[in-house]
Amino acid sequence: MADQRELAWYLAEVRHYPPLTREREQQLARRWRDRRDRRAADQLICASLRHVIPIARRYQRSGEPLGDLIAEGNLALMHALDKFDPDRNIRFVTYASFWVRAYLTRYVRRCRSLVSSVIHEQAVLFSKISAERRRLASQVADHEERDRRVAKTLGIDLGTLHEIDHRFSARDRSLDAPSRLDGMSPERDMLVSTAPGPADEVMLAELEDMLREAVEEAELEPRERLIVEQRLMADPGSEASFAELGRQLDVTREWARQLERRAMKKVDDTLEPLRQLAAAV
């Protein structure tokens, strides 16, 4: 889906599938679960494709192509269909959205890891090139001949050597000069920051949104919601203790613990993809 015309055609086609009511979703999901009715599954998936697009657009902040994100989200729909229980009080499109975000988070993280791995391998190779050059410095005066020997020793061609050298060679440069990485962006834009990057921010935001939606879907009683908000949804390190919750609710600490268990059981329908997303962040 990398071609923009193909992507535009796909986005237009998806709008042709009419949305389904809750009752129709449940009928189709039961036909798939009980009889493995492929036509029912196709109808349910096709009607849900439109819901992948806005989620995928949010993940564009991570830098991945929209078409690739949509394709990954569509895979998540099929996984969600196999996991979905139509007898539980939750819509398929809502349940599937959790899996879409979990899949996209994993995909973005995997892409980042691949890029980091390539950069690491290139940095190691540059270190070997530099060490071999130093070793040959007193033996070979001609720079080109020295590079040919270095390339032969390391088992790479001269083009690769020069590319790695160009990318990692350290020189004093203006931060406004074009970067050696792409030749266009200012060098200051290519500096590594320890602050959370766009991909991290997207994943954390999605985690928070999914948690809020899971709580909404669970239809919690007021006491259960209070406990979930002050424990599960609280900032790390600021969670209320069961003793504190017991005082607020005028119940024992053990009863507050039982209320949390009851609330979490209600939320559990949507927690499986949420756990996957949390593990990926």
Side-chain angles (χ1 to χ4, degrees):
M1 246 192 276
D3 184 85
Q4 290 302 310
R5 286 176 298 181
E6 185 180 351
L7 177 59
W9 174 85
Y10 173 82
L11 296 177
E13 283 296 305
V14 164
R15 299 190 187 99
H16 293 160
Y17 296 109
L20 302 175
T21 64
R22 177 191 292 265
E23 292 73 21
R24 185 57 175 162
E25 281 185 354
Q26 291 177 334
Q27 290 173 1
L28 294 170
R30 287 192 180 96
R31 281 166 52 187
W32 169 249
R33 182 194 63 186
D34 300 337
R35 305 200 299 269
R36 280 301 188 252
D37 185 332
R38 174 53 63 182
R39 291 181 62 184
D42 289 345
Q43 187 176 345
L44 189 52
I45 291 295
C46 287
S48 304
L49 292 174
R50 65 174 66 217
H51 298 283
V52 173
I53 297 169
I55 301 174
R57 288 191 189 281
R58 292 205 295 269
Y59 277 82
Q60 277 188 285
R61 290 173 50 203
S62 67
E64 302 304 322
L66 178 60
D68 293 348
L69 293 168
I70 291 174
E72 190 71 16
N74 290 347
L75 290 176
L77 284 181
M78 292 184 282
H79 183 87
L81 182 56
D82 277 333
K83 293 280 187 178
F84 182 62
D85 182 357
D87 295 329
R88 307 303 278 270
N89 187 29
I90 182 172
R91 292 203 60 172
F92 174 73
V93 290
T94 302
Y95 179 76
S97 72
F98 287 83
W99 280 109
V100 170
R101 283 180 282 189
Y103 262 58
L104 291 183
T105 296
R106 185 181 64 181
Y107 175 75
V108 168
R109 191 172 182 84
R110 186 168 64 240
C111 289
R112 290 174 57 206
S113 297
L114 288 173
V115 171
S116 298
S117 175
V118 169
I119 292 176
H120 174 72
E121 290 174 4
Q122 292 178 344
V124 170
L125 181 56
F126 175 69
S127 178
K128 292 179 179 179
I129 290 170
S130 300
E132 190 65 17
R133 276 175 172 159
R134 288 193 298 271
R135 189 182 71 81
L136 294 174
S138 60
Q139 304 174 31
V140 183
D142 183 74
H143 291 290
E144 291 187 8
E145 177 60 25
R146 187 188 309 161
D147 280 354
R148 278 194 289 271
R149 293 197 186 185
V150 169
K152 183 177 180 180
T153 299
L154 297 178
I156 59 176
D157 56 56
L158 271 175
T160 300
L161 183 146
H162 291 151
E163 180 184 349
I164 298 297
D165 190 40
H166 180 69
R167 179 165 296 182
F168 290 94
S169 205
R171 304 184 185 92
D172 292 333
R173 296 171 57 85
S174 166
L175 291 180
D176 293 318
S179 167
R180 288 190 296 271
L181 293 178
D182 63 9
M184 296 180 290
S185 306
E187 190 74 23
R188 68 175 71 254
D189 290 349
M190 309 306 288
L191 296 177
V192 177
S193 170
T194 56
D200 298 303
E201 293 173 355
V202 168
M203 288 187 283
L204 289 172
E206 290 301 313
L207 177 62
E208 293 173 357
D209 287 346
M210 287 174 72
L211 183 54
R212 282 193 293 270
E213 290 179 24
V215 171
E216 289 299 325
E217 284 292 327
E219 300 181 354
L220 301 176
E221 298 174 2
R223 292 190 302 179
E224 295 169 344
R225 178 178 292 275
L226 174 68
I227 289 176
V228 169
E229 288 175 348
Q230 294 197 23
R231 286 185 60 79
L232 184 63
M233 302 177 69
D235 293 332
S238 63
E239 302 93 338
S241 68
F242 287 117
E244 292 169 336
L245 290 169
R247 286 193 292 271
Q248 289 185 53
L249 299 172
D250 194 25
V251 298
T252 65
R253 177 169 54 186
E254 183 56 33
W255 186 244
R257 191 190 307 275
Q258 293 298 324
L259 284 172
E260 183 189 58
R261 289 177 182 169
R262 190 168 70 188
M264 293 306 296
K265 186 175 181 180
K266 291 182 179 181
V267 178
D268 198 54
D269 282 342
T270 51
L271 278 185
E272 188 176 359
L274 182 59
R275 292 190 194 102
Q276 181 169 330
L277 176 53
V281 174

